[in-house]
Amino acid sequence: MGCAPSAPRRAPAKTKTESRESAWRATGIVALRDSNLRELPDKLFDADGEFALKLRNVDATNNKIERIPREIGNCGNITRLVLASNLIESLPEEMGRLTRLKTLALDDNRISSLPDSIGSLRALTTLSACRCALTTLPTTLSACESLTVVKFSKNASLASSALDALADCERLEEIDLSSCALTVVPASVGRLKRLKMLNIE
């Protein structure tokens, strides 16, 4: 009497973490909003590119992240990075390696300055850092030739010189510097021929 064939073994079910990481690899989209994180997962920045080079969109809004690691420079294909509502005080110079980045949102952090390397972000179209601790903007920002929207409202110590840093961004259409420390509007703003909205309330 023959033995009945045994049922094929099922592959072990993926854990929640494994499923999430598989989705990151497949889509390039990393959704970490409201995750109570104190730091971004190291796995995102792997030097061999299993994750880093596949990332396109990272949203880590509303966490407790205090620092962005230098290894973020490994994520060379990212186009959207949202780090709003965290505890970040500074950004590494390696941010300048994100040459395909189009949107950078830093609102509601403790950032007092932007790295000089931000001038290397030639694809950047939208930059938002409202309600931070900015006192000035790097002059290198003028090299961001694709910028169309910048929002720096409610940086209470950000002075009029901030507008000078933007005067060579010829594609700018919208500037929001409301509730800052501006006292004058520099004549250099007149060079922004495409500007449609200037809010310095």
Side-chain angles (χ1 to χ4, degrees):
M1 187 172 179
C3 297
S6 58
R9 292 185 178 180
R10 293 183 179 179
K14 288 185 177 181
T15 66
K16 184 176 180 180
T17 297
E18 289 172 337
S19 296
R20 182 180 68 171
E21 291 176 358
S22 293
W24 291 352
R25 278 193 295 265
T27 66
I29 298 173
V30 176
L32 295 170
R33 180 184 289 260
D34 302 311
S35 297
N36 202 32
L37 297 176
R38 294 191 177 276
E39 58 184 21
L40 292 171
D42 289 339
K43 188 163 285 189
L44 297 181
F45 314 115
D46 58 319
D48 60 12
E50 180 185 2
F51 285 94
L53 292 178
K54 294 178 181 178
L55 298 188
R56 300 291 186 275
N57 184 334
V58 176
D59 186 346
T61 298
N62 197 28
N63 285 288
K64 299 177 182 178
I65 298 168
E66 296 184 5
R67 58 178 292 275
I68 302 301
R70 296 171 58 184
E71 289 77 13
I72 196 168
N74 295 336
C75 305
N77 292 317
I78 195 169
T79 60
R80 182 173 182 268
L81 180 59
V82 182
L83 299 169
S85 300
N86 280 286
L87 305 173
I88 302 166
E89 296 186 358
S90 63
L91 298 174
E93 288 293 334
E94 285 74 11
M95 289 288 295
R97 293 167 55 189
L98 307 182
T99 54
R100 297 188 179 185
L101 190 64
K102 294 181 179 180
T103 299
L104 177 59
L106 304 166
D107 309 291
D108 294 297
N109 275 287
R110 300 174 178 177
I111 297 170
S112 58
S113 64
L114 298 174
D116 287 338
S117 64
I118 200 167
S120 299
L121 305 182
R122 302 299 174 86
L124 192 65
T125 61
T126 301
L127 173 59
S128 183
C130 302
R131 298 173 298 278
C132 291
L134 293 174
T135 58
T136 187
L137 299 178
T139 57
T140 54
L141 196 58
S142 62
C144 295
E145 56 193 25
S146 298
L147 266 181
T148 57
V149 176
V150 292
K151 297 181 179 182
F152 297 118
S153 66
K154 298 185 179 179
N155 283 274
S157 298
L158 190 58
S160 303
S161 58
L163 281 168
D164 282 323
L166 298 170
D168 290 324
C169 299
E170 297 180 352
R171 297 186 183 182
L172 270 177
E173 297 180 3
E174 179 180 341
I175 299 175
D176 187 352
L177 285 167
S178 58
S179 300
C180 293
L182 275 67
T183 56
V184 298
V185 177
S188 58
V189 173
R191 300 204 299 267
L192 301 175
K193 304 300 184 183
R194 299 188 184 186
L195 194 63
K196 298 176 181 178
M197 194 279 281
L198 173 60
N199 187 351
I200 53 175
E201 184 179 356

